[in-house]
Amino acid sequence: MGHEIRKADKRHPVVLRMEGLFPADLGGYERHRTRKGGDLGHVDETRSNRNRRLIGGEDWAQRAIAEIESMRAENFAKELEGLKKRRRKAELAKRVVEGPKDPWRGTRHGPLREVIITAHQDWFTAFDQGNMDDLFGESREDRFEQIAVAWLKDSFGDDVIHARADLDETTYHIHAIVMPRSQIKDGRKMLQPSKHPLIKDYEKAQDSVGEWFSGLGLKRGERRKQALREAVQKHREAQKAQDKDAEMPVELPQHVEHVSPREWRERKERQLAGREASVGKREKEAATNIKIANAVAAGDPQVLAQVAQPDGKSAAARLFGKAFATLRANSRKAAQKEARGEVQAQFDEIKAADDAIVEAAAALPEAARKKIVEARKSLVGRITALKRSVHKWAKSNPKDGPEV
């Protein structure tokens, strides 16, 4: 990887994301890790041999699944033994039928956590001449990796069952899997993510990783959740005050959904595919429209016959059919038709206004209603006179006359 030789002019943030996983997701995770499945469109397979495991053996996923199955069986045996000792025969029979349960509480996120650590691509490719480590030390990727592994072990201990570095994608990044083992009061073994403060509190995790990587010139990510909490607090205070002079409630910052790089790329690829299909369709329609427009301008008889009676299927026919019909019509008749259309539109507006007056008057007291009836007499006369004129035009041109 080439490096840009320059003096570092800004501090990039270290990026930390955590995504929930269920044990059933580990199979798909492994297929993607070994580049045997999943979205590989962004992967440079010529460099996949450079990817390396940092924590855990090659069979880490199989070991994790076997351990979870063992927890499930041991917990079930302890439950049955406890119910038997307390002579809870009905409960014992029920639990035997139900069978072993998953060793975690119901959660939409899953009991495991995938941790992703990286930084901006520019940071990895930069070369700071004033930095002794850049001049004489290890590569930035190696230094980043060492701190990441140390932070993972310090933060999650033996619960970090796997970590790897990916070097075959656009930006160097590290994946890790945390399996948060715990034992509750009744002796059951459970997977409990909240046992780790950095999983329980997102801001603490960002503070911690920012502090660890500050020695590399990286900084903590934006305090989005803290900003959201402060904005919500100000919003509530303004509502409680109920004072006209109080400051208007602040606009809440938009929630930023953290997604894995794989999910983000898949979403973008679907958007691009849909956009390309839409653009292709519009380009095809535009080319057809231009072709027919040129034929109409040149007076091509075949095209004129086609667009003279649009079948509703062709976008070009819909565009030029009406225009062609207007060009065929006698200019005098066209002018008369346009005038009749304007009169019809004005008549419809007046009639609609009169109908609205009648409807509104029905809801008023009798005295007010009488006043409206008197005021409306002159309007009714004008509507009637206008209606007669419209009828005369309709009789002289029954085909084109407006309906009244």
Side-chain angles (χ1 to χ4, degrees), residues 44 90 293 299 376:
D44 181 357
R376 183 172 169 270

Side-chain angles (χ1 to χ4, degrees), residues 198-353:
L198 301 190
I199 294 179
K200 187 176 181 180
D201 191 324
Y202 174 84
E203 294 296 338
K204 281 186 178 179
Q206 295 292 337
D207 288 341
S208 175
V209 80
E211 183 179 350
W212 274 73
F213 282 87
S214 62
L216 294 183
L218 295 170
K219 64 179 181 179
R220 183 201 192 281
E222 294 183 18
R223 299 179 180 271
R224 296 185 184 278
K225 289 199 173 183
Q226 180 178 341
L228 179 61
R229 285 197 299 268
E230 292 175 354
V232 169
Q233 182 62 29
K234 290 181 180 179
H235 182 78
R236 289 173 178 170
E237 291 174 356
Q239 283 185 325
K240 288 180 180 179
Q242 293 183 350
D243 186 348
K244 293 181 179 180
D245 297 328
E247 182 181 353
M248 290 295 292
V250 296
E251 181 180 354
L252 302 183
Q254 294 183 350
H255 171 70
V256 177
E257 178 187 5
H258 290 292
V259 297
S260 68
R262 182 181 66 256
E263 292 173 326
W264 182 88
R265 281 187 294 268
E266 290 175 351
R267 184 183 303 173
K268 289 299 180 185
E269 286 172 359
R270 288 193 297 269
Q271 290 175 353
L272 288 174
R275 190 178 305 164
E276 288 174 0
S278 177
V279 169
K281 182 179 179 181
R282 290 198 301 270
E283 288 178 347
K284 184 177 180 180
E285 289 181 354
T288 302
N289 294 343
I290 292 171
K291 180 180 178 181
I292 294 181
N294 291 333
V296 170
D300 187 325
Q302 292 182 351
V303 177
L304 295 179
Q306 176 188 352
V307 299
Q309 295 179 339
D311 58 4
K313 296 181 181 179
S314 169
R318 291 196 300 271
L319 285 171
F320 297 106
K322 291 183 180 179
F324 179 64
T326 301
L327 291 173
R328 288 180 57 202
N330 182 275
S331 59
R332 183 178 57 82
K333 290 183 178 181
Q336 289 179 347
K337 187 175 181 179
E338 183 178 356
R340 285 195 296 274
E342 291 178 0
V343 172
Q344 177 68 49
Q346 293 174 5
F347 174 81
D348 290 342
E349 290 179 4
I350 295 172
K351 189 67 171 61

Side-chain angles (χ1 to χ4, degrees), residues 10-299:
K10 74 171 185 177
R11 295 181 66 196
H12 291 285
V14 57
V15 178
L16 170 69
R17 292 174 184 156
M18 295 189 189
E19 301 289 338
L21 286 179
F22 286 91
D25 298 327
L26 293 182
Y29 179 95
E30 275 294 87
R31 283 193 297 275
H32 183 69
R33 179 186 73 86
T34 56
R35 303 310 191 225
K36 295 178 181 178
D39 173 25
L40 302 178
H42 58 285
V43 172
D44 181 357
E45 296 188 37
T46 63
R47 295 194 297 151
S48 294
N49 61 345
R50 298 176 59 192
N51 297 347
R52 51 183 176 265
R53 291 194 318 276
L54 307 177
I55 298 175
E58 183 66 24
D59 62 345
W60 70 272
Q62 292 89 336
R63 286 177 175 271
I65 292 172
E67 183 177 348
I68 293 171
E69 287 297 328
S70 177
M71 293 168 67
R72 185 182 284 110
E74 289 180 14
N75 290 347
F76 186 52
K78 285 183 180 180
E79 282 188 81
L80 297 183
E81 183 180 356
L83 292 172
K84 186 176 181 180
K85 284 183 178 180
R86 287 177 287 167
R87 298 182 180 181
R88 302 285 182 87
K89 294 183 179 180
E91 291 183 41
L92 178 61
K94 181 181 178 182
R95 284 296 293 118
V96 170
V97 172
E98 291 175 344
K101 294 183 178 180
D102 291 331
W104 63 83
R105 291 186 171 85
T107 169
R108 64 186 179 92
H109 298 293
L112 309 178
R113 289 294 181 272
E114 177 185 10
V115 182
I116 301 172
I117 312 173
T118 186
H120 196 281
Q121 182 184 12
D122 289 350
W123 183 83
F124 287 107
T125 58
F127 186 89
D128 187 354
Q129 292 180 326
N131 188 320
M132 295 299 293
D133 289 327
D134 281 354
L135 287 172
F136 304 109
E138 299 171 298
S139 71
R140 289 196 170 197
E141 291 175 356
D142 289 339
R143 280 175 277 153
F144 187 92
E145 183 176 296
Q146 291 170 10
I147 292 179
V149 170
W151 178 81
L152 286 167
K153 290 182 176 180
D154 183 79
S155 301
F156 306 111
D158 293 337
D159 286 346
V160 183
I161 59 175
H162 162 77
R164 78 175 197 263
D166 282 354
L167 293 89
D168 59 354
E169 299 182 34
T170 304
T171 303
Y172 172 93
H173 57 281
I174 291 173
H175 290 266
I177 299 294
V178 178
M179 189 166 82
R181 310 170 179 93
S182 182
Q183 186 167 340
I184 58 179
K185 292 180 180 179
D186 62 7
R188 286 182 297 163
K189 295 179 180 179
M190 303 289 285
L191 299 180
Q192 192 174 10
S194 60
K195 67 169 279 193
H196 291 293
L198 301 190
I199 294 179
K200 187 176 181 180
D201 191 324
Y202 174 84
E203 294 296 338
K204 281 186 178 179
Q206 295 292 337
D207 288 341
S208 175
V209 80
E211 183 179 350
W212 274 73
F213 282 87
S214 62
L216 294 183
L218 295 170
K219 64 179 181 179
R220 183 201 192 281
E222 294 183 18
R223 299 179 180 271
R224 296 185 184 278
K225 289 199 173 183
Q226 180 178 341
L228 179 61
R229 285 197 299 268
E230 292 175 354
V232 169
Q233 182 62 29
K234 290 181 180 179
H235 182 78
R236 289 173 178 170
E237 291 174 356
Q239 283 185 325
K240 288 180 180 179
Q242 293 183 350
D243 186 348
K244 293 181 179 180
D245 297 328
E247 182 181 353
M248 290 295 292
V250 296
E251 181 180 354
L252 302 183
Q254 294 183 350
H255 171 70
V256 177
E257 178 187 5
H258 290 292
V259 297
S260 68
R262 182 181 66 256
E263 292 173 326
W264 182 88
R265 281 187 294 268
E266 290 175 351
R267 184 183 303 173
K268 289 299 180 185
E269 286 172 359
R270 288 193 297 269
Q271 290 175 353
L272 288 174
R275 190 178 305 164
E276 288 174 0
S278 177
V279 169
K281 182 179 179 181
R282 290 198 301 270
E283 288 178 347
K284 184 177 180 180
E285 289 181 354
T288 302
N289 294 343
I290 292 171
K291 180 180 178 181
I292 294 181
N294 291 333
V296 170

